[in-house]
Amino acid sequence: MAVGAFFGAGVGAWAAIAIGRPILHLGLSLMAVGTLVLYLSLRSVDGSVGVGTLGPGLGVFGLGMGMIFVPLFSIIMGEIDDREVGSASGLLESLKQLCASLGVAVLGTLFFDRLALEDGGPRSAMAAGRHLVAAQETLIVVLVLVVAAWAIGWLLPRKARERI
């Protein structure tokens, strides 16, 4: 995922000014494709998960993630008045941190709820293949969230702010 995000960030940095908001939709589309690849990869394994299983989906997801994280602030701030940039960017950063924390907490809670560790512990869950089912169900929620973000992206300014 980190390798994909590295390359996606390079594309996103250029595209923020060059094409504006469409880079977010392209990045989110790639994240959706990566999520689907992960989901299908986990459905096709018999319990053994490794780099070969997770690598392609995580790479595509990371590429899309890098494409949106770099230009996101510039695009969101695209129509903010110069006198309001300081307070708006502080609020935006605070909201980003809050939402990232909530996202990890909610998806982690969902995964471990579906894993049902109380029924014999982690080894029992893995032996029964519940870790794959829990991951697949969590990926479906991730896909729904990515699609929601794609739809909400249309509400953002068309062009990035050239200077913050």
Side-chain angles (χ1 to χ4, degrees):
M1 187 191 295
V3 172
F6 175 79
F7 288 107
V11 173
W14 163 81
I17 302 298
I19 65 171
R21 183 177 65 199
I23 192 62
L24 299 180
H25 289 104
L26 178 59
L28 287 163
S29 296
L30 285 172
M31 289 174 68
V33 168
T35 303
L36 286 171
V37 169
L38 276 170
Y39 177 82
L40 294 173
S41 297
L42 291 177
R43 285 189 57 94
S44 69
V45 297
D46 60 355
S48 177
V49 178
V51 174
T53 305
L54 301 176
L58 288 175
V60 173
F61 187 92
L63 182 67
M65 184 179 67
M67 291 171 107
I68 66 166
F69 278 173
V70 171
L72 184 61
F73 274 26
S74 296
I75 291 170
I76 290 173
M77 303 285 286
E79 296 176 358
I80 302 293
D81 291 335
D82 286 345
R83 62 185 173 79
E84 297 175 337
V85 168
S87 56
S89 64
L91 176 63
L92 185 57
E93 181 62 32
S94 296
L95 284 172
K96 183 189 89 162
Q97 294 294 325
L98 174 66
C99 292
S101 299
L102 285 173
V104 169
V106 168
L107 292 173
T109 300
L110 173 65
F111 174 79
F112 284 108
D113 176 66
R114 303 311 301 155
L115 189 60
L117 289 176
E118 68 275 359
D119 297 337
R123 289 187 196 271
S124 172
M126 288 185 70
R130 287 196 313 259
H131 63 298
L132 296 174
V133 173
Q136 290 167 25
E137 291 176 358
T138 303
L139 285 169
I140 290 169
V141 173
V142 169
L143 184 60
V144 168
L145 293 172
V146 169
V147 169
W150 190 90
I152 290 168
W154 292 105
L155 301 174
L156 295 175
R158 291 179 177 262
K159 291 290 183 182
R161 185 176 187 86
E162 295 201 24
R163 65 184 199 295
I164 294 181

